[in-house]
Amino acid sequence: MTDSYLYNGQGSQDHVASCPDCSAAIALLDAPGEAVSPPPGLREEMLARARLRRSPAETAVAAVAVPYAQQVALMDELLGELSVAQWEAPLAKHGTVRGMVEHLAANDARVAGFMGVPATAGLPVHRRWREQAGSLLERVSGSTGVLLGVEVELAGTSPARGPLRHAMVQRTFETWTHADDIRTATARSTAPPADEHVRMIAEFGLAMLPRAVKGPRRDVAATVVLTGPGGGTWTVPLSPTPDRVAVLVSADAVHFCKLLAGRWPPGSFPYAAEGDPALARELIRAASTLGCD
């Protein structure tokens, strides 16, 4: 405090003497003892919670960074609840919960490496995933919208590239998918993404759909109607110059996201179609191949 400080006509020393709050604060600052190191993971936990409240500066960046931050925070909380035995719970994909988190960290690393995030090898898997995801989010949040258009490697069973914008949507999508896998494996209730996340994931999948369709390219388009929270209507061109809409496919929006993740077998996926039934079946099959496993 400075000598010129006045509060209600009081000098600084007089105010401190008469203010219990200020006296306690100064006593705490003057208390003897060594500084205590914060517990491991506190920084990442506080950053994750802060990201739920604070958007990045640019609207375009916020549109992909905030959903990812929210899914990372939810996954982090879920992993923190797991018992030692639950980390070894069996999963059809990746063997165990631990194996799935290692897989998620490896897929995140494709984008994290592009953003210059240092490797986190040698740490326990939960902390390794969390620190890498937090650092990736910090780098993306501090970037400009121009960077979102730069092409990067996407996760998936076959090589694919796309803009960083798509990669961040994919990271949101995969983090939610694997969190639900873990919830199912540990007898917890599944949790669909927020409505706006559902729509974002669906749009991402529909943008990737034409390249996943097998067979000769047809000069047609498909209209996809997704119902329920996060739904909407999209017309997807299956060639650069479609001359007509050949089929209309409708399904539940959250179910469609699970189909995209490979978590709903195409043969049993519930949908309705008008128009070309064979093309409708091919679209459903192609959509089921777009997951990150």
Side-chain angles (χ1 to χ4, degrees):
M1 298 182 183
T2 64
D3 291 340
S4 59
Y5 172 83
L6 292 176
Y7 181 80
N8 289 344
Q10 292 181 311
S12 59
Q13 299 301 324
D14 292 335
H15 173 71
V16 169
S18 62
C19 177
D21 290 340
C22 289
S23 297
I26 289 176
L28 181 62
L29 292 172
D30 290 340
E34 296 182 1
V36 178
S37 299
L42 177 62
R43 177 178 181 273
E44 292 74 24
E45 180 181 353
M46 294 302 296
L47 285 172
R49 295 185 181 278
R51 292 178 193 118
L52 293 175
R53 298 177 177 271
R54 180 183 62 81
S55 298
E58 290 196 19
T59 301
V61 174
V64 295
V66 171
Y68 180 56
Q70 292 171 336
Q71 290 301 327
V72 166
L74 291 170
M75 173 68 98
D76 189 26
E77 183 177 5
L78 172 62
L79 295 180
E81 295 174 354
L82 298 182
S83 66
V84 173
Q86 287 174 332
W87 274 95
E88 306 307 325
L91 286 167
K93 295 179 181 288
H94 313 297
T96 63
V97 167
R98 184 181 307 279
M100 180 163 281
V101 177
E102 290 173 345
H103 159 80
L104 177 61
N107 279 351
D108 289 344
R110 304 185 189 201
V111 186
F114 169 79
M115 295 299 295
V117 173
T120 54
L123 298 174
V125 62
H126 179 187
R127 185 178 172 191
R128 174 157 47 92
W129 164 78
R130 181 179 59 202
E131 290 194 7
Q132 179 179 255
S135 297
L136 169 59
L137 190 54
E138 286 183 32
R139 297 291 177 91
V140 172
S141 298
S143 68
T144 67
V146 174
L147 189 62
L148 296 179
V150 176
E151 193 173 79
V152 300
E153 182 183 4
L154 300 178
T157 55
S158 55
R161 297 183 67 82
L164 177 62
R165 177 184 295 103
H166 284 181
M168 292 306 298
V169 174
Q170 192 183 54
R171 302 323 317 129
T172 300
F173 181 22
E174 189 178 5
T175 304
W176 162 64
T177 297
H178 290 332
D180 251 12
D181 289 337
I182 293 169
R183 293 182 187 108
T184 299
T186 58
R188 290 170 166 83
S189 299
T190 57
D195 297 355
E196 61 271 22
H197 299 184
V198 171
R199 187 177 184 88
M200 180 181 71
I201 291 167
E203 288 182 338
F204 165 74
L206 291 169
M208 301 285 288
L209 188 57
R211 73 175 70 176
V213 174
K214 302 296 184 183
R217 189 68 66 186
R218 301 172 59 180
D219 291 331
V220 297
T223 295
V224 178
V225 179
L226 300 180
T227 60
T233 300
W234 294 264
T235 295
V236 182
L238 301 180
S239 79
T241 56
D243 56 16
R244 61 188 175 88
V245 173
V247 67
L248 183 150
V249 176
S250 60
D252 177 82
V254 175
H255 292 175
F256 185 72
C257 290
K258 290 181 177 289
L259 175 71
L260 292 172
R263 296 317 190 261
W264 202 309
S268 62
F269 182 72
Y271 71 95
E274 298 177 18
D276 186 338
L279 179 57
R281 288 191 296 270
E282 174 57 23
L283 291 174
I284 296 301
R285 185 214 62 79
S288 72
T289 68
L290 295 174
C292 297
D293 297 307

